[in-house]
Amino acid sequence: MIVVLLGAILGACLAGPVEVLHGDLLRGVCQDTLRIGGATPFFARNVAHRLHSLTLEDIRYYFKSDVTAENGVPTVNKDLESEERVLSDAPLAGFDTSFSTPALRYLDMVLRKMDDAHYSITNFSVLEKLSHVYHMAELWQHASVHYSSLLLNPPSREMCTCV
């Protein structure tokens, strides 16, 4: 659960300007700051996991309803034929908005793209692709609760600098 909280801290920290520091002093200070804040050696990997398939619609649903297309959230390009493997901004996925729940939007997207060999995850069955999107939605739902808490009680400037 602490990993979800720290993933939410990253989002809160990225919302405002932070001074950029360099060198050994920063590394030493950050190790202590992140450890005190509950970060584990897996922090970066866990944040990357939560971001890798995030879409603009997901950010708007789980975190910030008015986020723009230029959102600064890097994510994997689901167009596997593209030379650009990582996108600088979480993209608009084009979910069918006639569905009122994310679950049916995800189901529809996977089914619409199930015959496209160059979309999203290769060598996964439809059931595995559905499991993946539902798993990610579960992580984002948990992170959104912590993100809301962080908006009310933001992390320290030191924590943001280190993250």
Side-chain angles (χ1 to χ4, degrees):
M1 191 54 80
I2 194 70
V3 171
V4 174
L5 175 61
L6 291 173
I9 288 172
L10 175 64
C13 291
L14 292 176
V18 176
E19 293 177 23
V20 177
L21 304 174
H22 299 283
D24 292 335
L25 176 62
L26 179 60
R27 278 190 285 279
V29 169
C30 284
Q31 286 175 348
D32 292 341
T33 300
L34 292 172
R35 183 182 45 74
I36 290 167
T40 72
F42 304 108
F43 176 74
R45 183 182 73 183
N46 290 326
V47 170
H49 178 210
R50 279 151 185 79
L51 296 181
H52 82 275
S53 61
L54 199 61
T55 67
L56 182 57
E57 291 96 334
D58 296 323
I59 297 170
R60 288 176 176 163
Y61 183 84
Y62 293 105
F63 301 103
K64 192 169 194 262
S65 61
D66 63 347
V67 72
T68 66
E70 292 182 10
N71 51 67
V73 178
T75 189
V76 173
N77 189 348
K78 291 181 183 178
D79 176 2
L80 302 179
E81 291 184 305
S82 174
E83 302 236 350
E84 184 179 15
R85 297 290 187 204
V86 177
L87 303 173
S88 299
D89 302 290
L92 189 67
F95 292 133
D96 183 340
T97 57
S98 66
F99 295 114
S100 60
T101 63
L104 285 179
R105 292 176 191 158
Y106 297 140
L107 174 66
D108 176 66
M109 181 63 71
V110 169
L111 294 178
R112 276 192 287 140
K113 301 283 190 171
M114 72 181 184
D115 293 326
D116 185 343
H118 303 288
Y119 177 78
S120 190
I121 305 170
T122 59
N123 301 316
F124 268 36
S125 69
V126 170
L127 182 58
E128 289 168 317
K129 289 180 181 184
L130 286 171
S131 297
H132 178 257
V133 296
Y134 295 145
H135 157 71
M136 295 310 299
E138 184 76 8
L139 293 177
W140 299 326
Q141 178 60 43
H142 287 289
S144 72
V145 172
H146 298 291
Y147 178 76
S148 295
S149 296
L150 287 170
L151 291 177
L152 297 174
N153 187 20
S156 70
R157 184 170 188 82
E158 292 80 17
M159 183 69 146
C160 288
T161 299
C162 292
V163 172

